[in-house]
Amino acid sequence: MSKYLFEVSWEVANKVGGIYTVLSSKAKYIKEKYGNDYFLIGPYLGAKTENEFHFLQPPSLFGEIISSLQSKGVMVYYGEWLIEGRPQVFLIDFQKYLSEVNYLKYELWVKFGIDSLRTGDDYNYPLAWSRAVSDFFEELTKREEFKNSLVHFHEWLSGFALLFSLNFPLIKIFMTHATVLGRSLAESNINFWEKLTTLDPLNLAYQYQIEAKHLVEKNSAEKADYFVTVSSVVKDEAEAFLKRKVDFLLPNGFDLSRFPTFEEISSQHRKNKQAILEFLLYFFSPYYKYSCPVKNSFIFFTSGRKEIRNKGFDVLLKALGLLNKKLKSENSEKNIFFFIFVPDEIKDVNHEVLNNLMVYRGLEEYLNNLKNEIDARLLHAVIHQKFQVETDDLFSKEEILEIQRILNQIKKSDRAPLSTHLLPENNDFVRILTNEGLLNREEDKVKVILYPVYLHSADGFLNLNYYDAINGCHLGVFPSYYEPWGYTPLETLAAGVMAITSDLTGFANYLEEKRLLKRDYPGLWILKRKNRRDEEVIQDLADLMLRIIKMERIERIQNKYEARVLASHFNWEEMIKNYLELYNTIFKKNK
Amino acid sequence: MKLNYLELNFSGESLSDKLFLKNKNLWLILSKEKSRFFGGFYFKNQPFRFLDSLEISSLPKEITIFSPTEIFWETDRNQIYLSLKEENCLEIKAANLEEISLSFDANFIFNDNPFLRFIKEEKLNSSTYHFFFYFDNQLIMEILVESFAPLNFQTGWFRNFLDFDSKRNSSLKEWWSYGKLTSKTNCLKIKILETACFSGEIFNLTNNKIFDFILTRLNSLILKNYLPAGFPWFFENWFRDELLSLYLLKDYLKDKKSIFSNYLFNLENKWQFNKENGILAADTLPLIILNIDEEDLAYYSVVFKKYLRFWEENFLDKNGLLKLPAKATWMDTLEKNESLEIYTLYLKALRKLAKFEKIYKEKADFYLKLLKQKIKEEYDVNLILVYFLLPEVFSKKEWLKIFDRFLVDYYLPWGGVATQKINSDKFISQHTGENPLSYHSGDSWYYLNNLLALILKDLNEKKYKFTIQKIIEASLTDLLKDGVLGFSSELSSAKERKSEGSLIQTWSMSSLLLLLSSFQNPDIFFKSLSD
C-alpha cells in the first residue's frame, strides 16, 4: 500500500475561483500530517504560474518518471507552491495534447458516452491537461511504491484525468464542490429543489448546453472509488443529478489566522466605519438639500460574483425596496446605506463622484490645516460663554471665501448616483433598483451604492480593501439561491460582522446540522428559501433586516461577538480533521 | 406514394421514399428516415458528407424520376424539381414558393468521431451563403448556397436520432448536424466549389429502354476509374464486385481493354486482395482471368502463370485442396476452408490457360472431378455460381435433379434463395443490419437470385416458369418500388422480401440486366408490376 497522497486540480497555483481558496488555505494542514508524501498537481500556464511557483530540482524518486514523460513530449515541473506550508507541486504542461483534443473527445465519447460536441476552450484546456496528468500517473504507477497511491481529484476539470487513469492502480477520490447542472438551473431561475428526484438531468443538461461537463462530472463520480462533496446541500443535488451516493462530506474551512482577533476587529471597526461614513457623506451630500443622514445609519453590504439569481441579489434588492417603504411609512429615524460589492461591467468611472470626493477630501485637508486656529477660536468663544457660535466666530472672511471656492468645485447632476462608476444601460442591478423605487432620493431611508470594482486601498472611492470595508459594516446579507458552500458569508462572520444567509447555503446547513447557532444571539440568521416562493422570502428578508436595525446596541455587539465565534468553528485546524479522517480510513482499508 | 419512371414509361406505388441522384463526384441520398449515410456527399478519395438533410415543407404526393440526375415531386401544394444535371450543382426549383431547409455535416463517411468536424459559414448577401467544411482542422470543401429569396441561418449543432441506422443495429444511433439554413423560395442552388475529376462511362447504351434504364444508372455510379460495389457504403473498388459485374455485362462494355488494364498493370497490388488495402481474397485473380480476353491472356500468359502459381501457394494445400484464409470469399462472414465457387473460378482459369499449356489441362481435369465430388457430397448456395460459370460440370439431367433438391433446401416462396439451408439451425430468417450474423446465414442476395432465375430458365424455362417469374418480380419490386427507387439492393431478409443491406449494389443490377436481356420481351414483367 502506497503512502502517497496527490491532490489534482485545475486551480493548483492557478487562481480562478473558490477551489483555489480551499486548496491554498488547507494545504499547510495536510502537509503537516503527510509531509513529503503529499503532492499537488496542477497545470503549467507559463507566466501566470510562475508568480506562485518556485521551481525546484525534483526528488530522485521522480527523476526517471519526469524524464520518461519528457521523452514523450509531456513536460512536468516540480517545485513549491508559494503559499503557507509551501506544499510540493507538480505542474504539468499540456501543449502536446492541445492539438489532439478532438481525438481525446472521441476517446471519451466511445468509452464513456461523453458528448463534447458543443464545447470550447474552457473545456479543451482542462481536457488536454488531464490527459497529460494521466500520462504522469501511468509512469508513476509503473513503480511499486506508487501503486495504490491516493489521488483526490477536484471538480470535472480534473475528472477527465480520473477517467483516463481508470486502469492505473490508484485509489481515486472524486470531489465536486457544486454541480454544473445545479448551477445552470439555479441561474436560469429554475426552482429545482422541490423537483430534484423527478428531473431528467441529462435532458436538462442538453437543454442548457452543458451536456459535456455534466457527463464528465457524472462519469467521474460513477467511476471513482470514493465520491465526496462539501455539504449536505450539494450532496442532495449531486446524488440526484449524478446518480451516485456521496460517500463522505468534506466541508470547507478557512484560515482564521488571516483575520483580525476580536480586539482588533473592535478597534478597526470604528476606524473603517468612519471611513465609510465619510465616503457616504461625500458621495451623497451634493445632491441633498439637507445633510446626508450618516448619523443614525446602518451600513449593510452584499458581495460575490454577479449571479443575480444564484446569489439572491434579485430577492435582496426587492427586500430593500420593501424595507425602504416600511421605514418611510414608519417615519423612522434610521437609515440604511447598502453597498453592493459585486464586480461588474463598467463604462467608466463616475467622474462626478470622483471629483466630489476629491473636493471634499481637499476641504477636509484645508480644515485640518486650520484645526488649531479653529480650536483656539472655539475655546475663546466658550470661555466668553458664547455658546451659540456663529460662523464668523470660527472662520475669517478669507477662510470662508476659500471654503466657498472649494465647494464651488462640486459637480452635481439632478439625481444622486446609484454607483461609483458609469454602468451600461441594461445593467441588471440598476433595472431592479429602479423598479423597486430605490433611487437614492433624499427621502429614501434605504440608499444603495453599487460598487462594481474590486476594492483596494487606493481605488479612489472607499480606499479600503475588502476585509476592511466589510469590517466597517454592520451586516452582510447573502440570501443565496444557490451556494454550495458560502465562503463570503463565512468571511463576513470572521470579520466580526453579523450576517444573513439562506438555508440553501452549504455552510449554513452545516451549522444547523451541528446545532452551532445560539438562539439569543446567533450572529448569523438563516433565511428560509428552500421550496418557498420569492414573495415570501422577500417579505421575510425585509422583516429580518428591520428587526436587526431595531436591535439595541448591546444586542448588536453580542451578535457581532457570536459571529466571530461561529467563524472559528470553520478554522482549518478543526475542519481539516474531516479530510484526515477520510484519508486515514482509506489508507487503513487498503493496507 | 405514386411513382413514375419517365425512362420506362412505368407507374406504380412506391414502398419506399429513398432517392439517389448522382452526377460524377456528387451524390444525394434523400429520405425522411435519418442516417449518417444519407444526405449530400462529395467524393474526395472518400465520400465526404456535407449535407445532412434537405427538407421541403409541402408533402410529396407523387414522384417522377426523369433520370439518375433528376426527379420531380408533385406535392400537396407545389411542384418541385430536383436536379444534379449541372456538374457539381444541386438545383431545386419549385412552381410556387416552397420553404426549403438544409442542415449540414462535415464528415468522412466512416468516421464516427464527431469532434473532428468544423463548419464555418459566411453570409455574402441576403440570399447567398458560403460554407467552409473542415475535418480534423483541414479545409475539405466549400459550397455556395444561393436562393432567389432571402436565406435565414440558425447556427449551432442539432442532435438527430438516426432512425434508419438504429433499425440496422448500428452502434451509432445519434449524430449532430450543423445549422439550419432556410429559405422560402422557388429556386435554390447548392454549388460545390470543386473541379470534378472523372473518367467517363463504361457501358454502351442499347436503345432498349429497359436495358438503358439500368445501364445509365450503372454508368452514373462510376467513381474515378472504377465501378464501385455499391452505395452508400461500398463506394470503394471491391474487385470481386466490379469483376463479376463486368463479366456479366461484357457485351455492353465500351472499352474492355482500358477497363481491364487497371487490373493487368496492377496485378501485384490486386491479385490476392478484395480491394485496395483490403484483406486476402481467393477469387480476385480467377475473376481477373475470367474477364481477360484470350488475346490478352495469351500475350500476358507468363505473368498470369506466375500469379496463378502464387495463388496456388497461398490458397491450396499440398494435396491441391483449398485452404482458404478467413473471409477470403464473397461469403466473408463465414470461416470457410473450401468453397465451391473458388474451385469453379480456379477451374475456369485453368481451362483458359490450358489453351496455351497442356499442364493446365491435366490440372483442370483433376479439379473438375474434385468439384463434382464436392457437389455430390455437399453443396451450398454457391451452386448457383458453379452452374453459371461452368454448366458443363454435370449433364442437364443431373443439374435438374440437383437444382430440384437445391430449391427445396434454399428457395424462399417470395422469390429468392437463402444463403443457408432453411431447415438448418444456423439459418437466420431476419436480416441483422450492421451486425453481419445473417449476411451469409440466411439473407437472400439479389444477384444470386437473378443468376438462379437465369439458370432455371436455361435448364427448363417451362418447368420453372413460376419460380423464375417470382424471382424477377421480387428483383423488379426491389429495383423499382423499394429501397432506393430505381436501384437494386444488396439483399433481403429470408423471411420476406425486403430491400436491405447496401441500398445500391452494382452486381444486383448487373445480374438483373443479364437476366432481363435473356428474354425477348422483358416488358411483360414490368407490366405486371405497373399500376
Side-chain angles (χ1 to χ4, degrees), chain B residues 21 26 64 76 85 112 217 260 319 349 353 403 420 447 479 483 499:
Chain B
L21 299 172
L26 170 65
T64 300
D76 55 350
K85 262 185 107 165
D112 61 358
R217 274 153 184 75
F260 290 105
N319 297 320
L353 284 166
F403 271 100
Q420 180 58 262
Y447 93 97
L479 175 77
S499 297

mmCIF file of all heavy atoms in Angstrom, chain B residues 21 26 64 76 85 112 217 260 319 349 353 403 420 447 479 483 499:
data_model
loop_
_atom_site.group_PDB
_atom_site.id
_atom_site.type_symbol
_atom_site.label_atom_id
_atom_site.label_comp_id
_atom_site.label_asym_id
_atom_site.label_seq_id
_atom_site.Cartn_x
_atom_site.Cartn_y
_atom_site.Cartn_z
ATOM 1 N N LEU B 21 -29.524 10.471 -56.321
ATOM 2 C CA LEU B 21 -29.154 11.223 -57.516
ATOM 3 C C LEU B 21 -27.653 11.327 -57.517
ATOM 4 O O LEU B 21 -27.057 11.608 -56.478
ATOM 5 C CB LEU B 21 -29.737 12.647 -57.458
ATOM 6 C CG LEU B 21 -31.252 12.768 -57.400
ATOM 7 C CD1 LEU B 21 -31.647 14.213 -57.145
ATOM 8 C CD2 LEU B 21 -31.860 12.300 -58.703
ATOM 9 N N LEU B 26 -20.566 13.942 -57.123
ATOM 10 C CA LEU B 26 -21.568 14.465 -56.196
ATOM 11 C C LEU B 26 -22.787 13.567 -56.170
ATOM 12 O O LEU B 26 -23.293 13.189 -57.221
ATOM 13 C CB LEU B 26 -21.983 15.883 -56.661
ATOM 14 C CG LEU B 26 -23.169 16.542 -55.986
ATOM 15 C CD1 LEU B 26 -22.887 16.805 -54.512
ATOM 16 C CD2 LEU B 26 -23.502 17.863 -56.687
ATOM 17 N N THR B 64 -41.773 11.580 -59.767
ATOM 18 C CA THR B 64 -41.431 11.149 -61.123
ATOM 19 C C THR B 64 -39.921 11.201 -61.254
ATOM 20 O O THR B 64 -39.309 12.227 -60.986
ATOM 21 C CB THR B 64 -42.078 12.062 -62.178
ATOM 22 O OG1 THR B 64 -43.498 12.014 -62.001
ATOM 23 C CG2 THR B 64 -41.723 11.610 -63.582
ATOM 24 N N ASP B 76 -48.489 18.372 -52.067
ATOM 25 C CA ASP B 76 -49.876 18.779 -51.785
ATOM 26 C C ASP B 76 -50.152 20.211 -52.225
ATOM 27 O O ASP B 76 -51.293 20.596 -52.415
ATOM 28 C CB ASP B 76 -50.207 18.579 -50.294
ATOM 29 C CG ASP B 76 -49.238 19.301 -49.366
ATOM 30 O OD1 ASP B 76 -48.204 19.794 -49.855
ATOM 31 O OD2 ASP B 76 -49.502 19.368 -48.161
ATOM 32 N N LYS B 85 -28.056 17.755 -62.701
ATOM 33 C CA LYS B 85 -27.594 17.742 -64.106
ATOM 34 C C LYS B 85 -26.358 18.598 -64.332
ATOM 35 O O LYS B 85 -25.438 18.214 -65.032
ATOM 36 C CB LYS B 85 -28.703 18.240 -65.026
ATOM 37 C CG LYS B 85 -29.494 17.115 -65.699
ATOM 38 C CD LYS B 85 -30.475 17.649 -66.679
ATOM 39 C CE LYS B 85 -29.992 17.375 -68.098
ATOM 40 N NZ LYS B 85 -31.062 17.550 -69.074
ATOM 41 N N ASP B 112 -16.549 8.019 -37.062
ATOM 42 C CA ASP B 112 -17.561 8.174 -36.020
ATOM 43 C C ASP B 112 -17.064 9.062 -34.875
ATOM 44 O O ASP B 112 -17.638 9.061 -33.792
ATOM 45 C CB ASP B 112 -18.038 6.816 -35.497
ATOM 46 C CG ASP B 112 -16.905 6.022 -34.870
ATOM 47 O OD1 ASP B 112 -15.754 6.501 -34.884
ATOM 48 O OD2 ASP B 112 -17.160 4.922 -34.374
ATOM 49 N N ARG B 217 -27.880 3.954 -65.127
ATOM 50 C CA ARG B 217 -27.644 4.030 -63.681
ATOM 51 C C ARG B 217 -26.279 3.455 -63.310
ATOM 52 O O ARG B 217 -25.573 4.006 -62.482
ATOM 53 C CB ARG B 217 -28.761 3.330 -62.923
ATOM 54 C CG ARG B 217 -29.912 4.284 -62.704
ATOM 55 C CD ARG B 217 -31.253 3.596 -62.572
ATOM 56 N NE ARG B 217 -32.265 4.646 -62.457
ATOM 57 C CZ ARG B 217 -32.690 5.390 -63.467
ATOM 58 N NH1 ARG B 217 -32.234 5.179 -64.692
ATOM 59 N NH2 ARG B 217 -33.592 6.332 -63.284
ATOM 60 N N PHE B 260 -9.793 -3.272 -68.208
ATOM 61 C CA PHE B 260 -9.018 -4.333 -67.566
ATOM 62 C C PHE B 260 -7.546 -3.987 -67.416
ATOM 63 O O PHE B 260 -6.808 -4.686 -66.710
ATOM 64 C CB PHE B 260 -9.227 -5.651 -68.298
ATOM 65 C CG PHE B 260 -10.615 -6.171 -68.069
ATOM 66 C CD1 PHE B 260 -11.568 -6.083 -69.069
ATOM 67 C CD2 PHE B 260 -10.982 -6.666 -66.836
ATOM 68 C CE1 PHE B 260 -12.860 -6.515 -68.844
ATOM 69 C CE2 PHE B 260 -12.269 -7.095 -66.610
ATOM 70 C CZ PHE B 260 -13.218 -7.021 -67.612
ATOM 71 N N ASN B 319 -2.137 -31.059 -50.975
ATOM 72 C CA ASN B 319 -2.942 -32.029 -51.726
ATOM 73 C C ASN B 319 -3.762 -31.374 -52.816
ATOM 74 O O ASN B 319 -4.580 -32.026 -53.468
ATOM 75 C CB ASN B 319 -3.886 -32.779 -50.765
ATOM 76 C CG ASN B 319 -3.100 -33.569 -49.748
ATOM 77 O OD1 ASN B 319 -2.073 -34.187 -50.064
ATOM 78 N ND2 ASN B 319 -3.545 -33.513 -48.500
ATOM 79 N N ALA B 349 -10.161 -20.733 -64.740
ATOM 80 C CA ALA B 349 -8.857 -20.138 -65.041
ATOM 81 C C ALA B 349 -7.925 -21.181 -65.631
ATOM 82 O O ALA B 349 -7.221 -20.933 -66.621
ATOM 83 C CB ALA B 349 -8.273 -19.531 -63.774
ATOM 84 N N LEU B 353 -6.167 -21.186 -69.358
ATOM 85 C CA LEU B 353 -4.718 -21.298 -69.537
ATOM 86 C C LEU B 353 -4.347 -22.592 -70.248
ATOM 87 O O LEU B 353 -3.288 -22.677 -70.869
ATOM 88 C CB LEU B 353 -4.008 -21.218 -68.187
ATOM 89 C CG LEU B 353 -3.935 -19.807 -67.620
ATOM 90 C CD1 LEU B 353 -3.547 -19.834 -66.150
ATOM 91 C CD2 LEU B 353 -2.954 -18.947 -68.395
ATOM 92 N N PHE B 403 -30.804 -29.212 -58.798
ATOM 93 C CA PHE B 403 -31.498 -27.953 -58.500
ATOM 94 C C PHE B 403 -32.869 -28.170 -57.913
ATOM 95 O O PHE B 403 -33.373 -27.349 -57.148
ATOM 96 C CB PHE B 403 -31.555 -27.038 -59.737
ATOM 97 C CG PHE B 403 -30.353 -26.142 -59.812
ATOM 98 C CD1 PHE B 403 -29.293 -26.455 -60.646
ATOM 99 C CD2 PHE B 403 -30.251 -25.018 -59.018
ATOM 100 C CE1 PHE B 403 -28.159 -25.652 -60.693
ATOM 101 C CE2 PHE B 403 -29.111 -24.211 -59.048
ATOM 102 C CZ PHE B 403 -28.063 -24.529 -59.886
ATOM 103 N N GLN B 420 -28.483 -20.002 -46.513
ATOM 104 C CA GLN B 420 -28.313 -21.146 -45.605
ATOM 105 C C GLN B 420 -29.530 -22.035 -45.801
ATOM 106 O O GLN B 420 -30.617 -21.544 -46.121
ATOM 107 C CB GLN B 420 -28.215 -20.639 -44.158
ATOM 108 C CG GLN B 420 -28.037 -21.689 -43.070
ATOM 109 C CD GLN B 420 -26.812 -22.550 -43.263
ATOM 110 O OE1 GLN B 420 -26.894 -23.664 -43.792
ATOM 111 N NE2 GLN B 420 -25.681 -22.049 -42.840
ATOM 112 N N TYR B 447 -28.336 -10.729 -56.380
ATOM 113 C CA TYR B 447 -27.521 -11.128 -57.543
ATOM 114 C C TYR B 447 -27.576 -12.643 -57.729
ATOM 115 O O TYR B 447 -27.671 -13.135 -58.860
ATOM 116 C CB TYR B 447 -26.087 -10.613 -57.413
ATOM 117 C CG TYR B 447 -25.060 -11.534 -56.779
ATOM 118 C CD1 TYR B 447 -24.223 -12.301 -57.573
ATOM 119 C CD2 TYR B 447 -24.924 -11.615 -55.387
ATOM 120 C CE1 TYR B 447 -23.265 -13.143 -56.992
ATOM 121 C CE2 TYR B 447 -23.983 -12.443 -54.804
ATOM 122 C CZ TYR B 447 -23.156 -13.202 -55.606
ATOM 123 O OH TYR B 447 -22.224 -14.050 -55.034
ATOM 124 N N LEU B 479 -36.015 -3.138 -57.414
ATOM 125 C CA LEU B 479 -35.423 -2.106 -58.277
ATOM 126 C C LEU B 479 -36.320 -0.881 -58.361
ATOM 127 O O LEU B 479 -35.870 0.263 -58.207
ATOM 128 C CB LEU B 479 -35.204 -2.670 -59.680
ATOM 129 C CG LEU B 479 -34.704 -1.687 -60.732
ATOM 130 C CD1 LEU B 479 -33.217 -1.408 -60.584
ATOM 131 C CD2 LEU B 479 -34.978 -2.196 -62.161
ATOM 132 N N GLY B 483 -36.466 0.162 -51.520
ATOM 133 C CA GLY B 483 -35.067 0.564 -51.287
ATOM 134 C C GLY B 483 -34.845 1.943 -51.865
ATOM 135 O O GLY B 483 -35.656 2.853 -51.670
ATOM 136 N N SER B 499 -35.857 -4.740 -49.162
ATOM 137 C CA SER B 499 -34.670 -4.145 -49.794
ATOM 138 C C SER B 499 -33.731 -3.741 -48.676
ATOM 139 O O SER B 499 -33.932 -2.716 -48.029
ATOM 140 C CB SER B 499 -35.075 -2.934 -50.621
ATOM 141 O OG SER B 499 -35.923 -3.347 -51.653
#
